[in-house]
Amino acid sequence: MTAKREHLRIGFIPLADAASLFVAVDKGFVAQEGLDVELVQEVSWSNVRDKLNIGMFDAAHLLAPIAVASSLGVGHVKTPIVAPYNLAMNGNAITVSPSLREAMMARLDGDALDPLATARALARVVADRKAAHAEPLTFGMTFPFSGHNYQLRYWMAAGGVDPDEDVRLVVLPPPYMVGSLAQGHVDGFCVGAPWNSVAVDLGVGHILHFSVELISRCAEKSLAMRESFAQDRPDVVAALLRALHQAARFIGEAEPAEIAAMLARPGRVGVDAEVILRTLQGRLKVSPDGATRENRRYLLLGEEGAERPDPTQAAWLYAQMARWGQAPASPALLDAAERVFRADIFDAALPSATAPAPRSGDAIGAFSGPCFDDRDLGAYLSGFPIRRTP
Amino acid sequence: MKIVIVDESPVRAAILEDGLREAGFTNVERIGEMRSLLARIYAIDPDVILIDLANPSRDILEQMFQVSRAVRRPVAMFVDQSDTASIQASVDAGVSAYIVDGLKKERIKSILDLCISRFNAFSHLQDELARAKSEIEERKTIDRAKGLLMKAKNLGEEEAYRLMRSTAMREKKKIFEIAQAIITASELFK
């Protein structure tokens, strides 16, 4: 092909769940589609969002809830953003300090692998601390509009801990998480790979739960772009989606060690390949004593139709915003949220892509609480005893 | 009006603070240490927060937009949706502004414009500094090579320099590159 390749600037944060984007560029899949993609590393989600909004990026690796929040104008400037491709599902974990883990285990009634049992143990620890007039526990998460924030809140609230009243939740940039845990500025956090493993390796944290054990299917990172870009450049978007799909398939079929080595390079995820390998294989060291746990659904890239944006996922993310007072609950906003995840663009670009696996129960698979029903938001929300009411 | 500058570069923060003071904004505080950033901001309780975009802690500030007990006054990022050029300019310069809701736009605009020009001035300054540094390095290399030539070929200073210059012209290279070659060669011959 002699035609000039289409130049695209795509922003990203160096995380393992941007794997498909890295592989699409580094294995030449985007070039084969006639695209010349420049990957631009960023230091904060705010920067990624703003540069996408004002057109300095054509597309971005973005926290899925930010795509929804921007489109709704929640918490920030309203900019219509669409997510025609889901880069990753799940992939986070809750890690706590050795001392908090010890306190929780002493108050555990049930199985340490059961999130409801640990959440109730946390509630008892919180009550003990209140009785002793100790400082409330502090938990870190990466961004107000993030799966991390919602997963952490969902888990603790199920055990009776009000995340706004009983503990402190603070935003921390992922590279600062481990240091903050080691220095006792936070007692636990919810973050993506590789930071949970880094904390375990350094002996300053125990992985309590994989996020997939809390929410079975949770849209984590989107390939996001301005709605106007998707409208004006459908061919470019389709070419990009084909390249990403090819990358996701390649990741599924190649030796995990080869992928891990690609991602470990500086300018990509830039951490030890062995740590990335654990994430890709879903086999994580969960405790400094070397204990490991495995869940092959830990991080879903191309498997189980995870690539296809599911509007119900966007609706669930919006429901979390409504539950925690970030956004008002309204059917109009719910509709608008669902329209952010553009399965139609995905289907047009990739008519033969695997359909999502048939599911039992609702689209989300939460470990507790009411089934998610996007046709009755009010009933869903009132099924939670702990929530912000307008 | 109380202004906080969040910047890990003390030099740039000082340049910005000077600019703000000259413009009549005398109530300025700098935060260069990112630990317990929010607590410090709440303690200062500013009307305007300026932060550099290369700072990962920018995400921490997003928490101030949330409705929460900890936040006493609602804060918003300064974005005038009618003025994309100024947003573009501020992102290009690498600075972002957050304001307490209800503050007059025109007043903020002048602060942001000042920020942009000081941030740009700072990066020009850095470029110049880097250039000056590399010029000094080049000068040092050339002097060293000249010394080596003088010793090896028993030349005067002027002659040694002329020899390097004529060689550079003949080989269509920079005199600095010839000097580097002389130093490398002399190491090999040691």
Side-chain angles (χ1 to χ4, degrees):
Chain A
M1 211 163 71
T2 49
K4 195 173 169 295
R5 287 211 226 114
E6 195 71 45
H7 183 78
L8 294 179
R9 273 170 69 85
I10 302 183
F12 74 94
I13 297 282
L15 294 168
D17 58 19
S20 301
L21 192 55
F22 298 145
V23 170
V25 172
D26 295 342
K27 289 300 281 183
F29 298 142
V30 290
Q32 285 166 21
E33 290 289 347
L35 304 176
D36 168 26
V37 171
E38 179 192 354
L39 291 179
V40 185
Q41 183 171 334
E42 267 303 338
V43 296
S44 69
W45 290 114
S46 320
N47 282 5
V48 176
R49 175 200 60 199
D50 292 350
K51 290 186 180 179
L52 184 66
N53 285 358
I54 65 174
M56 288 173 86
F57 292 151
D58 299 305
H61 162 240
L62 191 66
L63 284 163
I66 298 184
V68 175
S70 283
S71 297
L72 303 185
V74 170
H76 196 62
V77 192
K78 182 172 176 172
T79 309
I81 295 290
V82 294
Y85 186 90
N86 196 51
L87 285 167
M89 263 190 181
N90 308 336
N92 302 323
I94 295 177
T95 293
V96 296
S97 69
S99 63
L100 176 55
R101 182 171 183 277
E102 198 183 321
M104 285 173 65
M105 290 306 122
R107 301 292 259 128
L108 182 75
D109 181 11
D111 185 350
L113 295 180
D114 172 11
L116 195 56
T118 56
R120 285 179 178 147
L122 179 71
R124 292 182 201 111
V125 172
V126 165
D128 294 346
R129 292 177 70 100
K130 256 185 206 163
H133 302 289
E135 282 281 295
L137 293 167
T138 304
F139 287 86
M141 43 84 177
T142 56
F143 203 75
F145 301 100
S146 68
H148 318 94
N149 186 19
Y150 304 140
Q151 286 151 4
L152 198 53
R153 285 169 175 267
Y154 200 101
W155 168 67
M156 55 177 71
V161 176
D162 188 316
D164 292 312
E165 297 294 329
D166 299 331
V167 296
R168 288 195 199 115
L169 284 192
V170 297
V171 170
L172 273 180
Y176 299 170
M177 284 287 179
V178 176
S180 299
L181 189 66
Q183 288 159 16
H185 299 305
V186 296
D187 302 286
F189 54 64
C190 184
V191 69
W195 304 106
N196 297 287
S197 293
V198 173
V200 172
D201 281 350
L202 289 175
V204 300
H206 289 256
I207 296 178
L208 218 50
H209 296 294
F210 300 165
S211 68
V212 61
E213 297 162 353
L214 310 174
I215 311 288
S216 176
R217 288 175 73 80
C218 188
E220 173 60 31
K221 302 288 167 20
S222 300
L223 178 84
M225 56 190 70
R226 288 179 307 286
E227 189 179 33
S228 57
F229 184 84
Q231 233 157 39
D232 300 345
R233 317 291 295 279
D235 297 345
V236 172
V237 174
L240 183 58
L241 263 52
R242 285 193 299 267
L244 286 169
H245 178 59
Q246 211 182 336
R249 272 183 48 186
F250 180 83
I251 293 169
E253 288 161 8
E255 277 299 317
E258 182 193 344
I259 304 296
M262 281 177 72
L263 301 185
R265 291 202 292 248
R268 296 297 180 246
V269 189
V271 299
D272 200 27
E274 195 269 328
V275 173
I276 298 175
L277 187 62
R278 290 186 223 166
T279 306
L280 293 176
Q281 297 185 314
R283 190 183 300 135
L284 272 72
K285 191 159 104 182
V286 294
S287 153
D289 68 16
T292 61
R293 237 160 67 214
E294 189 168 351
N295 188 323
R296 48 159 215 91
R297 300 185 68 256
Y298 175 73
L299 172 68
L300 298 176
L301 300 170
E303 310 95 320
E304 296 186 18
E307 300 165 283
R308 187 176 186 270
D310 176 358
T312 312
Q313 291 279 338
W316 186 82
L317 293 173
Y318 163 68
Q320 306 314 299
M321 294 174 199
R323 179 178 178 188
W324 299 117
Q326 290 180 323
S330 92
L333 287 179
L334 180 78
D335 281 348
E338 291 188 327
R339 285 196 300 271
V340 174
F341 278 25
R342 292 287 296 272
D344 59 321
I345 299 180
F346 179 91
D347 291 342
L350 295 160
S352 59
T354 336
R359 56 197 181 213
S360 54
D362 65 6
I364 307 302
F367 76 99
S368 82
C371 271
F372 180 59
D373 181 1
D374 58 351
R375 286 156 309 178
D376 196 348
L377 183 65
Y380 172 72
L381 291 176
S382 57
F384 292 102
I386 297 179
R387 64 177 193 281
R388 303 283 79 81
T389 41
Chain B
M1 174 150 33
K2 213 185 284 180
I3 303 174
V4 161
I5 302 169
V6 181
D7 194 340
E8 283 170 310
S9 157
V11 179
R12 184 172 50 196
I15 291 175
L16 183 53
E17 183 178 347
D18 282 351
L20 288 169
R21 286 188 189 283
E22 277 166 31
F25 300 101
T26 49
N27 201 345
V28 182
E29 289 216 38
R30 290 190 243 153
I31 301 180
E33 164 65 51
M34 296 306 122
R35 200 181 305 155
S36 49
L37 176 62
L38 270 197
R40 299 176 65 180
I41 290 177
Y42 291 145
I44 297 169
D45 196 24
D47 302 286
V48 178
I49 302 157
L50 303 167
I51 184 166
D52 71 297
L53 292 186
N55 197 330
S57 298
R58 198 185 153 206
D59 280 348
I60 296 176
L61 299 189
E62 292 290 315
Q63 222 174 333
M64 296 186 302
F65 308 156
Q66 304 292 304
V67 187
S68 141
R69 294 168 303 147
V71 181
R72 265 169 301 170
R73 299 200 285 169
V75 171
M77 188 183 158
F78 175 68
V79 262
D80 182 353
Q81 277 177 295
S82 59
D83 184 8
T84 45
S86 100
I87 299 168
Q88 187 99 30
S90 100
V91 173
D92 275 338
V95 63
S96 173
Y98 295 81
I99 58 171
V100 163
D101 264 357
L103 220 56
K104 279 228 165 36
K105 252 184 197 156
E106 307 80 67
R107 295 193 69 192
I108 295 306
K109 182 79 168 66
S110 68
I111 293 177
L112 192 66
D113 287 346
L114 196 144
C115 254
I116 293 168
S117 71
R118 290 278 160 154
F119 260 64
N120 284 333
F122 178 74
S123 54
H124 287 314
L125 203 70
Q126 269 194 322
D127 290 348
E128 262 167 45
L129 219 80
R131 208 175 311 129
K133 247 192 194 155
S134 76
E135 270 169 25
I136 290 170
E137 286 306 313
E138 285 188 15
R139 195 73 256 162
K140 274 191 193 157
T141 307
I142 292 167
D143 281 346
R144 228 185 110 198
K146 195 167 63 183
L148 287 168
L149 269 189
M150 285 161 68
K151 217 170 134 192
K153 302 195 63 160
N154 207 8
L155 298 174
E157 191 175 344
E158 188 81 355
E159 275 177 305
Y161 186 75
R162 264 208 306 270
L163 181 58
M164 284 202 294
R165 201 179 53 187
S166 58
T167 311
M169 278 161 73
R170 201 172 53 240
E171 308 243 320
K172 293 194 174 65
K173 284 196 166 114
K174 284 195 207 158
I175 190 161
F176 166 67
E177 291 170 300
I178 298 297
Q180 274 183 319
I182 291 170
I183 292 169
T184 310
S186 83
E187 309 260 311
L188 289 175
F189 284 127
K190 254 183 199 163

